[in-house]
Amino acid sequence: MDREDSPTEAVQRLQRPTPARQRQKVQQQQQAEEGSTEDKVPVSLSPELANWIKLSAKDLKIRQTDRRWAAEVVNDFRESLLKFLRSNSDQPFFQSGDFLTTGSYFEKVKIHNPDEFDMMLKLQAPSRINMTKIDGGLFYRLDFVRPARSPIQAFLLENQCTISSSKILTEMFRLVRKFLKTYRVPVEDFRWEVNRKRPYSPAVTLSLFKTDNNIDELISVDVVPALEVHPSQGWPVAVRNGPDVENWLGKKVRQEIKSLPCYFVPKRIKGRNLSEEDKESWRISFSHIEKKIITCHGNKKTCCESNATKCCRKQCLMLLKSLIQGLKQRFPKELDDLCSYHGKTAFLHILSIRFNDSMWTPQQLPFCFLHLVRALEDHACKASLPHFFVPTCNLFSPTVFPRRALAFLVSALEEQRREGLPLLKPPAPVPPPRSIPPPAAADSSTKTPANESSIVTLVHSLDPGFMNKLIIVFFVAVVLFCFVCK
């Protein structure tokens, strides 16, 4: 009869590394010491292509003047909205809210123009919450363990336990619209407008327009309400191990990440035959952790700091975002399911594998970027792109990314690599219009008058087909004139 383990022995046995984990650690250590085996594979990289990649990376940077103007407008909007929410007495639950600056702009990987901003309005959950997993670990139903006695009661379902994501988002729309009735943009002749709610979107999206123009959107802002679960409660079981960053950022940083609060945004899960509670689903968000990782991205903790070694990590991500943007613009229907977060996820996986700072020196930018493109292509070929924080969720599964679209993405990325990334190259210059050769130089005694010269130039510039028609009309006119004279 087998002896049962004591609780202490059971914990020790679970914490003991399995043979598979030991082999994985050995492989990762070998890669750290010798470099990734994929780095040793020769890559076809012409000097011209390498130059194009470097030039494209420079062109993606946002001009400081544009950044300053956009930051002034967006910061004033954010601070004014926060003051409004804290002083608004008709919805006290939002009075304690505070903003988290997340997204590509604040990660300093925004490309081309400072025209998109993300803001998470964190709302503190008043008591302990049950986080019931609905799918593989991204979507949850949030229920209070005990009846809540706070302003959040207005956003519960009839069972008085389940927090309604749709009610929270609807209230966010109402409050923003009410705020805009009295708010004035600090720059004259501009105004904010709330966009129509998008299906499955957790955000209140606003657009900045000129007062006399309702067509050209200058800036877009997503205001996302996010429910904050107290750090003492911990993360859901599906993500409790935290991201795989030990070899890259170290055990200490991993523990710091796992100690951060957990946030949920009001996003409804796609699917049929859902219960009323499951229709009020929330998606777990790691935007604040992604910002921390991308901002402090070095293996030696000094990468890209002032007077320290620089790397090309962020430039690679910006180039990949530009490539994805170009693919979506060229194939809007075929690649409608593709988004920049797919590229960001592939990028985070690459960082955890190629974790040495020496692998990302600025001189290696072209090679590192091609390596990243090939990694995304490999994920698409295998139809497997695990979420970086929720490995059980596949962002390329057929339920969320159709196989036909995935096959198209594979061929499109392969074509880009084969043809030298044409979407990153600037458009070919338009040839100037064919100039009319000047008349031959003439002697001063036979100089053509100015009006005759202009007539000659006009005749030369006419289309040959039009000239033939003109001659026929002239000939017919002459014949008719002669006939009338007779």
Side-chain angles (χ1 to χ4, degrees), residues 214-232:
N214 289 332
I215 300 176
D216 299 328
E217 178 187 77
L218 301 175
I219 296 177
S220 173
V221 170
D222 280 350
V223 180
V224 182
L227 200 63
E228 178 182 349
V229 178
H230 197 273
S232 62

Side-chain angles (χ1 to χ4, degrees), residues 140-144 147-148 152-168 275-282:
Y140 292 82
R141 189 180 73 245
L142 303 182
D143 303 293
F144 284 117
I152 200 173
Q153 284 181 314
F155 305 104
L156 301 180
L157 297 184
E158 292 182 359
N159 59 17
Q160 294 299 306
C161 292
T162 304
I163 307 174
S164 169
S165 58
S166 62
K167 288 184 178 182
I168 292 281
S275 65
E276 291 302 316
E277 290 80 8
D278 288 348
K279 288 179 181 178
E280 299 290 348
S281 61
W282 297 75

Side-chain angles (χ1 to χ4, degrees), residues 394-420:
N394 180 14
L395 300 183
F396 278 163
S397 68
T399 55
V400 295
F401 207 109
R403 293 183 179 180
R404 181 177 297 180
L406 200 59
F408 192 92
L409 174 61
V410 172
S411 61
L413 290 173
E414 183 181 356
E415 179 187 39
Q416 286 296 308
R417 286 194 304 104
R418 185 176 62 251
E419 298 186 3

Side-chain angles (χ1 to χ4, degrees), residues 316-332:
C316 286
L317 178 56
M318 294 167 69
L319 285 167
L320 186 61
K321 286 164 61 74
S322 178
L323 180 60
I324 290 175
Q325 186 181 88
L327 288 172
K328 287 181 66 67
Q329 290 175 352
R330 185 177 178 186
F331 309 108

